[in-house]
Amino acid sequence: MDRLDMRQISKEFGGIAALSGAGFSARAGEVHALMGENGAGKSTLMKILAGAYTHDGGEIRIGGEPVSISNPQDAIRKGISIIYQEFSLASDLTVAENILIETLGHGLFVDRRAMDARATELLTRMGFDDIDPGEIAGGLTIARQQVVEICKALSRDCSILVLDEPTAVLTTHETEKLFDLVRRLRDQGVCIVYISHRLDEIFSLCDRVTVLKDGATVGTWETAALDHKSLVNLMIGRELKDFFPERHGTPGEVALEVEALAAGTLVSDISFSVRRGEVLGIGGLVGAGRTEVLRAIFGADPLSHGEIRIDGKRHVIRSPGNAVRAGIGLVPEDRKQQGCLLHMPILNNAMLTPVNPHLGFLGLIREARERGATEALRSRLNLKAASIDAEAGTLSGGNQQKVAIMKWLVSGCEVLLLDEPTRGVDVGAKVEIYRVINELAANGAAVVMVSSEMLELIGMCDRVIVMRAGRLAGELSGAQLTEEGIIELAMGRKHVH
Amino acid sequence: MSTNPKAPSLVSILVTYNIYFMLAALAIISTLLSEHFLTLQNLFNLLRQLAPLALVSIGMLLVILTGGIDLSVGSVAAIGGMGVAMAMPALPFDGATALFVCIFGAVLFGALLGAINGVLVAGFGMASFVATLAMMTMARGLAYMLSNGQPVRFPRDLPTAQILTGFGSKGVPGIGLPWPVLAVLVIIALFIFLLRRTNWGRLTVATGSNEDAVRLAGLPAWRYKFLAFTLCGALSALAGIFVTARTAVGTPVTGIGLELDAIAACVIGGALLSGGRGTVTNTMIGVLILGLIGNIMNLMSVPAYPQQIIKGVIIILAVLMQGIGARTKRRV
């Protein structure tokens, strides 16, 4: 009988459907994979199961009984535990205290010895008896912290365990140990839901796989009945829609050259170039280091190695101010937190740049000039707003994105970096943003666009470079530029065989 | 939505301009309570007393606009006031030049203390509450040390001192408008201009509104924060000099609790403590409201301790009304 059964789950966020008809059923003693592209609805579905969101429609059954999960406590009481990529360990407490954190609230005194004994028992059951329950959790390796998380879930008798990309941060050896642990739990009758982008893991670990696409379930298959290619096809299988506006003109001179760029602990050895009038896409999974590359070029994060040239001239970029003066603009991923001044008028947003040609002597504001320039931009970008004095926060997502772009048109930047420019906007607004991007390129700007939507990359970009785990996995253009091609590079299937 | 948007309802007018109505109401109450209130003499005296608070409130507003807070203004004011009182007799020369040197030096020292706040907050990322709390006790301690805890008196017949106390006690010939009030009006006009008409002012507000966005636009957000603290220090020292000018003595206890009145003036004037919203004009209305509350209670002979309670209640009322205002606006 099915341990967990989620049926026809639907969920809306502000009128946009994130899930409609999503669901799957998983048995006790099974490892069940949940797959889909970024934004297919996996995370939303799991957050509903965890009680972080409540669903608008559909039904959840556990052990055949319909249940209602309206908060995280409900989920824990029903035996559901989710291990997220970011752990929720208290890093200053000991391993035992973390594992048994729920019991810490009971009674006046803590019986340390009993706690340590219980923690040791759980750790031994998992095959990790070499972890000392008295150790401070924050001092453990990531892999061992993950084990502690799993033991914490087991301490409250969890019968359904969800692992959300558990191997993303692990080495190969650690992954093997985790797989042993998962198989051990499976044999003990736990129902395990496994989310991963790594195809080979699915095939070596999971019994069945459910594929989600655009918020709905495509179907459930025995993994033995599938191969890599058929699974990838199930995940993407759709036609390129025709809502990408035509772009005219041919690329000109090389505007931006990036050579052997490295930043932070993740990104290294990234090289590419973009011509004027060209749109270059950067594809890859979430966490592959795409945002980090843009931020490093823009000087928002320090560059540990590499060279950046604009129009063939080398620039040392230590801050966003340097980048803007070199002619680079960035439209960040998080529009509301980083892209716009939500509580300020459109005009102030447009003039938010160190290169404002409309200012007078000593930074005096010449209002008439600024208003004229902002009005011109408003009609050029087809910005829908009551007036340029309207606060940016009152606009729709797509129009906010246009406001975030305005300042770079004022400063006259020649290289525009866009990070997920259409995230969270509806289809109509997406087309508007595509039109703006094309217009900028047609006017001679070099555009670099990070996107998790493969259709967007294929429809908008002349070329696409794909990143995996902080490195360049390959470049695609012309006939090679397909969803299969991007997915294969992003997930590293090419390197499996 | 149901009413014509071009004809705002009485409620929305009341809510939008609530602090003006509050000021008018307080003025009417004062007039009814005492026939002396509406005399030029009384009004000028009231404004003269409020001049230092007005200066400090402008400085505080600059810091609050960037999303910070400055608790050290009162202590810096004490140092400014005492510094001038100690420096005047010590200088080897007298007169207007000497006074200018003293004031310039004291204001510069205030700016330096503010700049230290600015470096700690904008450079080292320290919470402004903590950094300026430390500066508050350090500057106060310095003030006590310099004076051994005693008021600093200076010879009344010293020409330099005569100019200063004349400034503090006399008015513009013919009109009678006190000199300190005139000076404050000029400074108010200057900062209204700077905040509304220059890129620096606009970006100072933007920094408080969304520092990340300002930084990611390639602008030096730290510089606006640093400058706000520096200017706040300079204005606080100047406020202390105004106190010395009026009372003809520099004391190390000047400005105790001044930071709270200045914050209250900003908040009553509608400034957001999280930054990005607030105007000089409304802050000055806040200063006047605080001043009138004190004036009314003095006229009614309310003892000092209950006065503090009533002041607190009025601050809460003012802010509550703004909360209602913000909610009504959102619904429209």
Side-chain angles (χ1 to χ4, degrees):
Chain A
M1 191 184 64
D2 291 330
R3 180 77 214 147
L4 170 67
D5 191 3
M6 298 184 84
R7 294 181 183 178
Q8 294 295 322
I9 304 290
S10 62
K11 175 74 185 170
E12 276 190 13
F13 292 106
I16 298 167
L19 292 178
S20 58
F24 67 103
S25 55
R27 306 180 192 115
E30 173 188 43
V31 183
H32 194 107
L34 204 54
M35 297 222 54
E37 291 180 71
N38 295 330
K42 297 169 305 216
S43 302
T44 311
L45 192 62
M46 287 304 103
K47 282 187 174 153
I48 287 171
L49 184 62
Y53 298 154
T54 53
H55 50 287
D56 301 331
E59 190 182 41
I60 303 175
R61 285 169 184 249
I62 289 175
E65 297 286 318
V67 295
S68 95
I69 299 173
S70 50
N71 56 51
Q73 282 71 40
D74 281 350
I76 290 169
R77 270 197 292 276
K78 301 280 188 303
I80 300 163
S81 277
I82 303 200
I83 314 291
Y84 294 105
Q85 282 168 359
E86 283 88 30
F87 305 139
S88 53
L89 292 181
S91 52
D92 294 325
L93 297 187
T94 66
V95 168
E97 283 166 336
N98 265 293
I99 293 177
L100 301 165
I101 198 154
E102 263 121 79
T103 61
L104 278 180
H106 305 311
L108 215 49
F109 301 102
V110 177
D111 183 350
R112 232 164 242 289
R113 198 167 299 173
M115 274 180 74
D116 285 357
R118 172 94 178 104
T120 309
E121 181 200 322
L122 283 164
L123 287 164
T124 312
R125 202 174 122 198
M126 292 300 99
F128 284 86
D129 49 356
D130 55 332
I131 297 179
D132 176 5
E135 219 171 317
I136 299 296
L140 298 174
T141 64
I142 299 287
R144 282 166 170 252
Q145 289 188 23
Q146 197 171 46
V147 171
V148 174
E149 276 271 352
I150 294 173
C151 287
K152 181 172 144 190
L154 295 173
S155 78
R156 46 197 190 208
D157 293 322
C158 100
S159 61
I160 299 168
L161 181 67
V162 181
L163 298 169
D164 188 358
E165 298 228 35
T167 58
V169 288
L170 302 186
T171 63
T172 322
H173 177 68
E174 290 168 340
T175 302
E176 279 308 316
K177 288 207 84 170
L178 176 74
F179 283 6
D180 286 344
L181 193 158
V182 170
R183 292 193 185 102
R184 205 184 274 237
L185 289 173
R186 178 192 63 195
D187 296 341
Q188 289 168 7
V190 178
C191 166
I192 294 156
V193 180
Y194 191 88
I195 300 176
S196 175
H197 281 295
R198 300 187 179 171
L199 293 178
D200 15 334
E201 290 181 0
I202 305 300
F203 286 102
S204 68
L205 186 66
C206 302
D207 303 300
R208 290 192 299 165
V209 53
T210 292
V211 176
L212 290 181
K213 197 165 78 66
D214 299 335
T217 296
V218 179
T220 299
W221 291 268
E222 299 280 335
T223 38
L226 297 172
D227 60 11
H228 281 79
K229 194 164 177 57
S230 53
L231 183 53
V232 168
N233 278 340
L234 285 169
M235 282 165 62
I236 55 179
R238 59 182 155 180
E239 297 303 309
L240 190 63
K241 290 168 197 151
D242 58 355
F243 61 57
F244 295 100
E246 287 265 328
R247 177 150 37 92
H248 302 288
T250 48
E253 295 291 302
V254 171
L256 169 72
E257 282 171 283
V258 175
E259 202 175 298
L261 176 143
T265 53
L266 181 64
V267 174
S268 66
D269 204 20
I270 302 290
S271 303
F272 62 85
S273 66
V274 202
R275 294 172 179 279
R276 290 182 179 281
E278 192 181 36
V279 180
L280 174 78
I282 304 185
L285 300 176
V286 169
R290 300 169 303 170
T291 297
E292 288 78 358
V293 167
L294 295 193
R295 285 179 59 93
I297 296 173
F298 190 64
D301 291 332
L303 204 70
S304 49
H305 185 260
E307 193 172 302
I308 291 162
R309 288 188 294 271
I310 309 280
D311 292 333
K313 192 168 160 278
R314 191 179 169 198
H315 283 266
V316 178
I317 292 169
R318 290 212 179 82
S319 71
N322 292 156
V324 174
R325 287 185 182 86
I328 307 176
L330 170 73
V331 177
E333 186 177 10
D334 190 338
R335 187 171 57 235
K336 290 182 191 295
Q337 296 300 320
Q338 306 185 322
C340 285
L341 304 168
L342 291 181
H343 301 293
M344 302 249 138
I346 292 167
L347 177 96
N348 294 34
N349 274 279
M351 298 301 152
L352 188 68
T353 162
V355 189
N356 179 351
H358 306 295
L359 287 179
F361 179 64
L362 287 178
L364 284 188
I365 295 171
R366 287 190 283 185
E367 202 179 335
R369 278 191 62 162
E370 289 195 346
R371 294 193 75 87
T374 310
E375 287 289 358
L377 282 177
R378 177 186 170 196
S379 54
R380 179 175 163 195
L381 299 180
N382 195 20
L383 180 73
K384 289 186 190 67
S387 92
I388 55 171
D389 300 315
E391 285 185 11
T394 63
L395 307 177
S396 69
N399 283 304
Q400 280 179 15
Q401 195 66 287
K402 292 181 190 174
V403 170
I405 292 174
M406 277 175 131
K407 56 177 165 287
W408 303 127
L409 299 178
V410 170
S411 75
C413 87
E414 287 155 358
V415 176
L416 192 59
L417 312 173
L418 304 165
D419 197 354
E420 302 279 7
T422 65
R423 167 170 295 177
V425 305
D426 59 48
V427 174
K430 276 185 181 174
V431 179
E432 283 279 298
I433 292 169
Y434 297 148
R435 206 187 56 75
V436 170
I437 294 171
N438 282 344
E439 201 250 9
L440 297 176
N443 277 305
V447 180
V448 180
M449 179 168 107
V450 163
S451 175
S452 291
E453 288 194 35
M454 286 183 283
L455 280 178
E456 189 167 289
L457 289 174
I458 295 165
M460 288 297 297
C461 302
D462 300 287
R463 291 180 293 131
V464 171
I465 57 174
V466 179
M467 287 184 64
R468 173 162 35 85
R471 287 166 179 275
L472 220 52
E475 181 180 320
L476 302 165
S477 63
Q480 299 167 296
L481 183 49
T482 60
E483 292 191 67
E484 289 87 346
I486 296 173
I487 269 202
E488 281 178 353
L489 284 175
M491 293 191 177
R493 189 166 96 71
K494 285 239 167 105
H495 291 251
V496 172
H497 295 286
Chain B
M1 279 297 184
S2 57
T3 53
N4 183 350
K6 280 186 182 160
S9 66
L10 187 65
V11 177
S12 78
I13 293 176
L14 276 172
V15 164
T16 310
Y17 299 103
N18 69 73
I19 55 168
Y20 296 91
F21 286 107
M22 193 175 220
L23 182 65
L26 288 171
I28 291 167
I29 293 171
S30 304
T31 313
L32 295 177
L33 280 175
S34 162
E35 55 191 19
H36 298 299
F37 175 74
L38 218 54
T39 61
L40 219 49
Q41 186 60 40
N42 182 50
L43 289 179
F44 281 167
N45 268 334
L46 181 66
L47 291 177
R48 193 198 306 269
Q49 283 167 21
L50 287 176
L53 176 61
L55 291 178
V56 170
S57 298
I58 293 172
M60 184 68 78
L61 176 71
L62 293 175
V63 171
I64 285 179
L65 280 174
T66 67
I69 197 97
D70 188 348
L71 301 180
S72 67
V73 289
S75 307
V76 175
I79 289 195
M82 275 182 33
V84 167
M86 292 170 73
M88 283 190 305
L91 278 184
F93 52 106
D94 280 337
T97 323
L99 183 62
F100 176 78
V101 168
C102 291
I103 292 176
F104 187 76
V107 170
L108 207 63
F109 191 68
L112 175 72
L113 296 179
I116 293 172
N117 285 333
V119 167
L120 291 175
V121 174
F124 291 91
M126 208 180 273
S128 57
F129 191 96
V130 178
T132 61
L133 184 69
M135 179 56 75
M136 173 177 164
T137 81
M138 289 192 295
R140 184 67 69 189
L142 181 64
Y144 283 125
M145 271 172 62
L146 287 175
S147 63
N148 283 322
Q150 298 300 312
V152 181
R153 303 188 188 282
F154 44 84
R156 294 290 167 95
D157 52 356
L158 193 75
T160 317
Q162 280 177 348
I163 303 173
L164 182 69
T165 50
F167 171 82
S169 56
K170 297 203 178 90
V172 182
I175 323 167
L177 181 72
W179 287 110
V181 177
L182 182 67
V184 167
L185 286 175
V186 171
I187 291 170
I188 289 173
L190 175 70
F191 277 94
I192 289 178
F193 174 81
L194 286 175
L195 280 175
R196 291 177 55 105
R197 292 280 150 211
T198 70
N199 207 33
W200 167 78
R202 182 164 65 184
L203 294 174
T204 297
V205 181
T207 299
S209 183
N210 187 342
E211 196 180 330
D212 276 349
V214 171
R215 206 178 301 119
L216 280 177
L219 291 156
W222 65 269
R223 201 181 291 167
Y224 307 114
K225 291 163 75 172
F226 172 79
L227 261 174
F229 279 103
T230 306
L231 284 168
C232 184
L235 286 165
S236 301
L238 189 63
I241 297 169
F242 277 34
V243 173
T244 298
R246 181 166 57 86
T247 58
V249 62
T251 79
V253 294
T254 296
I256 289 180
L258 189 60
E259 64 283 349
L260 300 181
D261 278 344
I263 295 168
C266 293
V267 167
I268 291 173
L272 270 185
L273 284 184
S274 53
R277 203 181 79 192
T279 65
V280 174
T281 317
N282 284 1
T283 301
M284 291 305 108
I285 303 277
V287 170
L288 289 175
I289 287 175
L290 283 175
L292 277 186
I293 294 168
N295 194 255
I296 289 175
M297 288 190 289
N298 284 340
L299 290 172
M300 289 173 71
S301 321
V302 178
Y305 299 148
Q307 274 199 23
Q308 296 187 354
I309 297 175
I310 295 169
K311 205 155 96 181
V313 169
I314 290 183
I315 292 169
I316 291 173
L317 281 180
V319 175
L320 271 181
M321 281 188 53
Q322 280 152 19
I324 296 166
R327 272 196 295 280
T328 338
K329 243 184 233 163
R330 228 173 290 142
R331 245 182 270 132
V332 172

